[in-house]
Every structure is written in C-alpha cells, then in structure tokens.
Amino acid sequence: MTKISLPLSTLIVFSGLSAAKSADYNIDSLNSMSLKELMNIQVETAGRIEQKRFLAPSNITVVTPTQIKQRGYQNLIDILRDVPGFDFSNHQDSAGEYTSHSVNRGIGGTPGNVQLLVLVDGIPQNHIAFNWSQPWGNQQIYSDLDRIEITQGPGSASYGANAYSGIVHFITKKPSAYPVNSITSHLGEYNSQSHSLYLSRNFSELTLQLAARKSQIDGDLGRDSHDPAGYFSAHPLPHILTADYDDNGNYVRNQVSPLKGQYSLPGYNNQSDDWAIRGSATWLPKHQAAKGLQRIALSYNKWDQKQGLGSYITGFEYQTRDSSYQKHHQADSLSLDIDYNFKQHIQLSTRVWQRNNKQLPDTGFKYTYRFDDLIKSYHSKSKQFAFEQQLNITAKQNWLVGYRLLQSDKMNQVVSLGTNYQKYYGVTTSDWNLAAQGYGLNQTSSAQVEQVDEVAVFAQTQGQWHQRLNYTLGLRYDHSQSYGTTLNPRLAFSYDLSESDSSNIWIMKYLYGEAFREPSTFELNDEFRGNSELVPEKIKTHELISNWFFELNELEITAKAALFYSTQSDSIILKTENNQSGSRFINDNNNDLWGFTFDSQLQLANNLDFYINYQYTDGDEDRDTIGLTHSARNKVNWGVNYLTLADQLNINFRVNHLFRRTVPQSNAYFLDDDNSLTLANMTIAWQGIELSNVTITPQLIVSNVFDRNYVAVGRQDGSSDINQYDAQFNVNPNGFTPPYHPQLGRTIALQLSIDF
C-alpha cells in the first residue's frame, strides 16, 4: 500500500485561492435540503417537463450534490448501491472490457447492463453500437451536477430504445447569477488520485461553465483482494501452445511452450487512468419576454478511460498481469439546444447532437495457451447524429408532442493479432479470425459498419380529472432499419389523499409502461457468443406506489412503498452451451418479474437525518439463465448523517445488507447461492472552514469499514472451473468467466474540497 499524501499542486492551488474574493458563496449551500424541500424538488426525466417529484409520473429517486459530498460517492456504482433495486457483480474492481455488470430489479447482468439508459442533460450516453450504459467509473464528472434523477421501470414511451429497466439522468447546473466554483482533490491508498474542478462565469447574458476531472489509480494488482479459490493466484503455465506462429511466421499447433515449468504472475491489472471535460455556453436574455428566443446553449462533453481489465476473466487462461491486459475507450458529444416561445404557454425546444464512441487499438490481452507473445486487440469507432424537436403546451391540460431523427454508424469490433502491424479505425492489417485459423499474421480485413436510420414520434398529455386525480397518457412510435417498428404506451394516475394541512401529504400512483431494447452489435456478432438471429426484447410493467410525508415540529418523515410486476418477452440472455465460451446469446421465452421496494427518510432534527430502504425481487426465470440469479432477493440499505459542533463536523455512516442470492447452475464455485454480505462505509468531514471568502472542507472517506473479506458473484454465467485446468492435459477448459470477482478490504482516502 502507498502512503496518503497531499500533492504539491493541491497545496499551491489552496494557497492561491486563499486570497480569492467571492461574496456569492453561502455556507448554507453545504447543508442538507429539508425533506419537504427535497420532496418538492423539480424533476424532468419522468415526464420530459419540469414538475414536482411527488407528482411526477414515475418511481423516481433524486440524488443531490449534498448527498454525493456527504457520503463520499466517487462513481455511479457507489451511488446506485444505495438505491433499492440495484445489485452489482463488481464494486471496486474493473468490469473488464465493459462498463458495468449490474442488475436493476432483476434485469441485467449482461455486458455493460444494456437495459439501463444513461443520459447527461438529455443526451444518451449508452454505447452507440454495443448499447453499454456508460460512464460508470471515474470518467464521469460530479462537480457540475445539479442532481441525478433515477427512474425505475420502462421509459421507452419517452426515450425509445434501452430505457428498459430504468433511466439514470445526470443533470448539470443551470446558469446562476451567484455561481459557486469548486476544486476537489481525492487521495487514497494504492495511489488513488482524483482531481476535479467546476468554474462558472457570467458575461451579461452569456454564461460559460467548465468542469473537468482527472483520476488515476495504481490498484492493488489483485494481490490484496480476497481470492479464496485461487483463480488469480500463481498458476503453472501451459506445457504446450495449442496454436502459435514461429520465428519464420509459420502457423504451428501443439508445440512445446517456451514457458513450460514457469508460473504466471498472481493477480490482475486493475490500474486506471481516466479524464473527462465538460463545458457549455448558455445565452439567456436578461428580460425574458413571453414570446421569442428564451435560451441558446452549446455543450460539449468528452471522456477517456484507460483501465486494466481486472478480474473479469480467469488468471490461468489469460495473461492478466501483462501490461497489454487493458481497455481504452473514449466518448464525446456536441449538442445545441434552442428554446423558443410562440406564446407564454407554448414553447418549442430544438436539440441537435453529434456523438462518437471509440474503442482504441490498445484495448487487448494475451492468452497463456496460444499466441502467448502476441496481443489480441480490439478497436472500433461509431458515430451518431440526431435532430429532435419537442412542442410543450402548458395550460390546464398540458400537451407534449415531438419527433426525433437519428442516424448512426454502428461499427463492429475490429480484432487483430500481432505485435507490429498497422491498424486504424475500421481496418486491420493482421486480422484475428484469419490468423487464428492459420492463414497468417498479415491478412487485411475491414469491420462491418451498419448504417442505421431511425425515426421516432411521441406524444404525451397531462391533466386533472378533478382536484385530486391527475393523469399522464403517452405513446411513442419508433422505427429503425435495424430492429423494425415498436409502439410503446405509458399511463400514470396519481390520487392525492392528503389532508388540507400541508404537514401530512399522501399520494398514490398507478403506473403502466412498455419498453424495448434492441440487440447490440456485440450480441449479434461476438466471436464466441454472438447470435445474428436475435430480435428486440420487450417488457411490460405495472406498478403501484404510495408516497407519504409527515411533519411535526423538527421531525420530518417521507416514505415510498412500491409494488411492481413485469412481463418480459424475447429476453436476450446468455444460455449455457458446450462451446469455447461456455454460453451463447439467445432470445428466451416469456418470463415474469415482481418485487417490492420501501424507501424512507427521517429528519429527526436539523442536524440529524436517517434513511432506510428495502428491496425484494423475485421471478419465474429458468435457473440456467442470468437475471435474478445475480440479484439479492432481499436487500436493505440504511444510513445516518449527523452534524455537530456548530454544524461543522459532519459524520455519515451507511450500510448495505445483501441476503443470499442465487447463482447460475453453471457457476463452479458457489452451491446455489452466495453467502450474505454486509458492507459499511463512513465519511467524516469538517465543513465550512472559511478563509478569505473561500470555504474549505477536508473529508475522511473509509470504504468497507469493518475490513470484510468478500467476493462478488461472477458476471454472466461464471462458468470457469479452476479444477478443470491442467497445465499439461487441459490448458483451455470450457468457460472463461470466473465464478466470482475478488474485492478489496478496507480502504482509506482523504478528500479536500474548496468552494469559492
């Protein structure tokens, strides 16, 4: 482990800021919102228009910047682990080539959780070709966020494909006359560093905003993480190479390995180097009239992630400690938004965006049992252009109508094998497929690029049938050259059972929605598991929600209980098969999911608040499939936040309890289910140190407080069996996905935030 120390650059920044002048900053902005204020916070994801959270036609959770700061959240996995419905196969460890292996309401577990839509200010972030939801890690920026809105349940009626199990929407700060700028440095064990900033400047009617983040982690190289069965310990290397190219470039098979008798290095590469930048220029007229231009905003967002592949594949068939064992991804987007009012209550919103996804050529790895000195590498480049308009009519009955035109170039992965060869996006001079079949290392091939045009038309109306009953009705038509036509309706009813006294509010909601998720280029064409005959998977969900708020003196309580029932058809799953990977993507039969969630927050006093949530998830899926087999049937999260010493000492303690989850029968380590798991995290901050109009907040962040040795259930089928590996007789057993992912024990970090 490396010692924690503040870098000189941070101290220089601190010294420079100590003389800064800012009358705009208010220490109250560090304190939590009251529960009543949080209940009435404006949200926009549920209905594509701003409305109070309690009245929004969805099951929605809002995460505020204050909560992110108080709880020490560093990435999206940290955040969603505390939200009912979510479960993960990787916590600290890399998800490998993909972005996350997560489950939401029993749905997911496939590479990158393609059933969850991620948005930043309304712009999709899912991978254009592979559908992976992203970004999950340290390449996401949090310093410029106004809030994160997390909606559970189908959202295709509003957002189209991939809004299947839910939506995570990052919403950045709007221009403010009194901006608060910030710089944050996070330093922890294993040389974990993350530095971010947010700057905002007003020039009359123009506001410029800039946010950036740079993160670097050396990682433990898998050596300090719990590995009870030794999947990533030192293993004898194969005695033979099943395939190779000799010094003369000839293809040879079953030759004696030059590394026979040696052992692999233990562990795996889990280093990372990430950066991100986001900026916007927004014009707002000082004296907004009822008619005319209301806003013009130009925004840019780019991130880069270079990360070791971690424990996502076994350590005896792959060279997991080799420097080539890594992924390198990039994404960027440029968007233009224009709001124009025809009348006071009629607004046309226009959005144009261009975005790109890149899988860079230094993404790859080496095998141990074949081509042991040659890198198998991947690269691709996909792009997308969209034009969208939405007309909002806000009156006694609100109407929203709109359309979207989408054009995508979806490139399949280009796979190469070699050491010295030229490659650029879409082409390789050393094709993997041909090389693996013995046709030589210098065969040129081009990637398959699917050019897809899509069109969508959507409409929604909201209103009241009488004083207490509100309704939302919506419908969306999507047509794609790739997956054909889908029609997705939604409806929501909310009934206000509140008393006339605003201290007691009770609202019941009934929600119905449908959604679809198209098969990705990866699922259609993966070299081992791909299936070109896949069709879109579909879901229908009924949900009943009870929202309640009670206030008495300083005591405030909110509670949300939800029952849901979902029916899936043509679900895309990994089916266990006797092939090299051990599984293949297929469309499964119809299956049902159901569950219950409870989420409550208590503000016991101005300086003390507490939350607790519970989830129960079940279904009738076959035991050979993924899905519920990777989700804890019962999960409880709770936490407490305490302010003391003139509200400057902030102590936050939160706990996740996961109660025995079923694992796939293909998993070779667990017997039917995983052990229960309890994890605790704590942050301690001294907030509000003021110096020359600069406010400084040092914070101690402790993850896995009680130093629990644990593993996360292996992704997908977890079918690799260490007992089947034999360096002499079976160097390539079926399956390569480990049955579990080792996780770290307790880690400690320091964070320093400067607001000015």
Side-chain angles (χ1 to χ4, degrees):
M1 298 184 182
T2 59
K3 292 184 178 180
I4 302 172
S5 60
L6 288 176
L8 180 61
S9 59
T10 303
L11 297 178
I12 293 173
V13 169
F14 169 77
S15 302
L17 288 174
S18 63
K21 300 292 182 181
S22 177
D24 297 337
Y25 184 71
N26 186 341
I27 185 61
D28 292 338
S29 65
L30 283 179
N31 297 329
S32 300
M33 287 177 138
S34 71
L35 293 184
K36 194 169 187 178
E37 291 172 329
L38 190 58
M39 174 192 69
N40 288 310
I41 194 172
Q42 295 288 106
V43 297
E44 62 185 68
T45 308
R48 295 181 68 106
I49 58 172
E50 289 195 345
Q51 55 197 144
K52 291 182 179 180
R53 180 171 70 95
F54 250 34
L55 299 175
S58 70
N59 184 341
I60 189 165
T61 300
V62 176
V63 179
T64 67
T66 300
Q67 291 169 332
I68 292 173
K69 182 177 292 186
Q70 288 177 341
R71 299 176 188 179
Y73 291 143
Q74 298 300 308
N75 53 55
L76 188 55
I77 294 176
D78 283 350
I79 293 169
L80 295 183
R81 282 170 63 188
D82 288 342
V83 175
F86 286 90
D87 210 344
F88 293 87
S89 291
N90 57 296
H91 294 172
Q92 301 109 341
D93 182 29
S94 164
E97 169 66 8
Y98 322 111
T99 50
S100 169
H101 293 279
S102 58
V103 176
N104 179 26
R105 287 186 167 184
I107 300 169
T110 52
N113 194 346
V114 292
Q115 293 94 344
L116 185 71
L117 179 65
V118 178
L119 305 171
V120 173
D121 290 333
I123 306 298
Q125 303 299 300
N126 292 52
H127 195 284
I128 296 166
F130 306 138
N131 295 347
W132 302 333
S133 55
Q134 57 186 22
W136 288 79
N138 294 334
Q139 73 277 33
Q140 177 60 273
I141 303 172
Y142 292 87
S143 58
D144 65 342
L145 290 184
D146 180 73
R147 63 191 183 277
I148 303 173
E149 296 181 8
I150 303 160
T151 64
Q152 302 275 24
S156 287
S158 295
Y159 296 98
N162 305 323
Y164 189 88
S165 70
I167 302 167
V168 176
H169 193 177
F170 295 89
I171 299 173
T172 60
K173 295 176 182 178
K174 293 180 172 60
S176 170
Y178 305 101
V180 177
N181 301 315
S182 66
I183 296 176
T184 301
S185 285
H186 176 100
L187 301 150
E189 296 177 273
Y190 306 108
N191 194 29
S192 169
Q193 300 186 41
S194 182
H195 309 284
S196 60
L197 64 84
Y198 170 71
L199 301 173
S200 179
R201 183 71 183 271
N202 295 326
F203 299 91
S204 184
E205 298 178 344
L206 178 67
T207 299
L208 301 180
Q209 294 170 286
L210 175 68
R213 184 179 185 184
K214 178 70 169 69
S215 299
Q216 179 180 324
I217 303 173
D218 286 350
D220 71 328
L221 296 179
R223 294 173 296 188
D224 296 331
S225 297
H226 187 47
D227 183 14
Y231 273 84
F232 300 95
S233 60
H235 297 280
L237 290 168
H239 290 189
I240 63 168
L241 295 178
T242 60
D244 200 12
Y245 282 90
D246 63 21
D247 293 340
N248 297 318
N250 298 314
Y251 180 72
V252 293
R253 295 180 58 85
N254 299 323
Q255 299 293 302
V256 175
S257 171
L259 301 179
K260 176 183 177 181
Q262 299 184 33
Y263 281 73
S264 63
L265 291 174
Y268 41 81
N269 180 8
N270 58 0
Q271 298 175 326
S272 68
D273 189 358
D274 309 329
W275 60 265
I277 188 168
R278 186 155 57 215
S280 65
T282 305
W283 175 79
L284 294 171
K286 283 187 176 180
H287 306 288
Q288 286 191 334
K291 296 176 63 176
L293 276 174
Q294 304 296 301
R295 180 180 73 111
I296 300 177
L298 182 66
S299 303
Y300 180 72
N301 184 19
K302 183 172 184 176
W303 57 261
D304 180 285
Q305 182 184 48
K306 190 173 183 179
Q307 187 178 55
L309 297 177
S311 64
Y312 99 116
I313 46 182
T314 55
F316 47 85
E317 295 185 61
Y318 297 76
Q319 299 183 40
T320 56
R321 279 286 302 279
D322 194 81
S323 60
S324 65
Y325 184 73
Q326 67 177 11
K327 65 178 174 184
H328 193 178
H329 290 181
Q330 284 184 355
D332 64 79
S333 64
L334 178 67
S335 62
L336 175 67
D337 289 84
I338 302 174
D339 294 337
Y340 183 90
N341 280 6
F342 293 102
K343 293 182 179 180
Q344 184 174 0
H345 300 293
I346 303 178
Q347 183 178 81
L348 178 67
S349 297
T350 302
R351 169 172 290 160
V352 183
W353 81 72
Q354 163 79 44
R355 65 188 190 101
N356 301 280
N357 284 120
K358 294 180 182 179
Q359 191 179 25
L360 278 76
D362 51 348
T363 296
F365 59 86
K366 293 179 182 178
Y367 292 103
T368 60
Y369 62 90
R370 57 176 171 173
F371 313 120
D372 66 313
D373 60 347
L374 300 175
I375 299 173
K376 182 180 181 180
S377 63
Y378 301 79
H379 68 278
S380 67
K381 180 180 180 180
S382 297
K383 61 182 180 180
Q384 186 177 81
F385 175 82
F387 180 85
E388 183 175 85
Q389 286 192 310
Q390 174 178 309
L391 183 67
N392 296 331
I393 303 173
T394 55
K396 185 175 181 181
Q397 182 178 2
N398 297 332
W399 283 90
L400 180 156
V401 294
Y403 67 94
R404 184 174 76 181
L405 305 176
L406 197 66
Q407 186 178 67
S408 305
D409 287 349
K410 301 182 179 182
M411 181 183 289
N412 194 15
Q413 296 181 119
V414 181
V415 189
S416 304
L417 179 68
T419 52
N420 300 307
Y421 54 92
Q422 296 180 347
K423 48 189 173 179
Y424 53 93
Y425 293 118
V427 177
T428 176
T429 57
S430 188
D431 177 76
W432 153 259
N433 292 314
L434 295 173
Q437 297 176 54
Y439 293 107
L441 288 173
N442 300 303
Q443 306 300 313
T444 300
S445 70
S446 300
Q448 174 187 353
V449 179
E450 185 181 16
Q451 296 181 329
V452 181
D453 290 333
E454 301 174 49
V455 60
V457 180
F458 51 90
Q460 176 181 282
T461 181
Q462 294 183 321
Q464 285 186 329
W465 274 331
H466 59 74
Q467 187 175 1
R468 290 181 176 267
L469 181 62
N470 295 284
Y471 65 86
T472 299
L473 304 174
L475 185 67
R476 180 175 173 123
Y477 166 90
D478 284 88
H479 178 76
S480 167
Q481 292 176 326
S482 176
Y483 57 77
T485 297
T486 66
L487 195 65
N488 293 279
R490 70 176 301 194
L491 60 89
F493 299 101
S494 64
Y495 191 79
D496 190 348
L497 297 166
S498 308
E499 300 175 0
S500 56
D501 183 0
S502 63
S503 63
N504 191 349
I505 299 173
W506 184 18
I507 295 176
M508 295 290 296
K509 298 180 186 178
Y510 167 74
L511 311 175
Y512 174 78
E514 298 183 12
F516 73 101
R517 202 271 296 178
E518 60 179 310
S520 69
T521 300
F522 177 83
E523 291 163 328
L524 293 167
N525 301 301
D526 179 66
E527 59 183 305
F528 300 129
R529 295 162 294 178
N531 182 353
S532 61
E533 297 180 358
L534 294 174
V535 299
E537 57 182 355
K538 299 179 182 179
I539 191 170
K540 301 177 181 180
T541 299
H542 300 266
E543 187 163 6
L544 186 63
I545 302 173
S546 175
N547 280 300
W548 181 68
F549 170 81
F550 176 75
E551 179 182 30
L552 178 63
N553 298 325
E554 290 188 350
L555 175 67
E556 292 184 358
I557 302 174
T558 66
K560 178 175 67 176
L563 284 166
F564 70 88
Y565 182 88
S566 299
T567 299
Q568 296 187 96
S569 58
D570 293 321
S571 302
I572 300 174
I573 67 164
L574 272 175
K575 182 71 173 179
T576 301
E577 293 188 355
N578 187 24
N579 60 19
Q580 187 168 346
S581 72
S583 56
R584 182 171 179 260
F585 289 108
I586 66 166
N587 284 109
D588 196 18
N589 296 326
N590 296 355
N591 52 73
D592 297 338
L593 303 167
W594 55 86
F596 170 77
T597 60
F598 175 79
D599 192 353
S600 181
Q601 299 179 71
L602 293 81
Q603 189 163 330
L604 305 175
N606 287 332
N607 65 337
L608 180 63
D609 56 81
F610 173 81
Y611 77 86
I612 184 169
N613 59 62
Y614 166 77
Q615 74 178 56
Y616 168 81
T617 313
D618 207 346
D620 64 357
E621 292 187 332
D622 184 86
R623 285 291 309 279
D624 284 338
T625 69
I626 58 170
L628 293 190
T629 51
H630 282 71
S631 182
R633 180 173 293 181
N634 296 278
K635 182 180 178 183
V636 177
N637 306 309
W638 62 272
V640 61
N641 193 78
Y642 180 58
L643 284 167
T644 187
L645 301 181
D647 287 349
Q648 287 194 295
L649 179 62
N650 188 179
I651 302 172
N652 189 282
F653 187 76
R654 54 193 177 89
V655 181
N656 307 119
H657 302 280
L658 294 91
F659 300 96
R660 304 181 74 88
R661 79 190 77 184
T662 303
V663 299
Q665 289 182 336
S666 56
N667 192 299
Y669 177 75
F670 299 105
L671 296 176
D672 293 334
D673 51 33
D674 182 19
N675 292 327
S676 299
L677 176 65
T678 295
L679 295 173
N681 302 281
M682 181 176 67
T683 61
I684 301 174
W686 187 268
Q687 62 182 28
I689 302 173
E690 294 194 72
L691 182 62
S692 299
N693 297 316
V694 173
T695 300
I696 305 160
T697 304
Q699 188 175 38
L700 174 70
I701 301 174
V702 184
S703 301
N704 195 357
V705 173
F706 301 115
D707 199 20
R708 173 74 184 271
N709 286 332
Y710 75 105
V711 296
V713 174
R715 66 186 179 94
Q716 298 173 265
D717 57 10
S719 59
S720 178
D721 185 353
I722 194 172
N723 298 311
Q724 300 299 314
Y725 174 75
D726 187 286
Q728 183 175 359
F729 301 108
N730 192 12
V731 297
N732 180 27
N734 284 339
F736 56 79
T737 304
Y740 62 74
H741 300 290
Q743 300 294 305
L744 279 171
R746 179 172 50 239
T747 58
I748 300 173
L750 295 176
Q751 184 164 289
L752 182 67
S753 300
I754 302 171
D755 298 275
F756 57 98

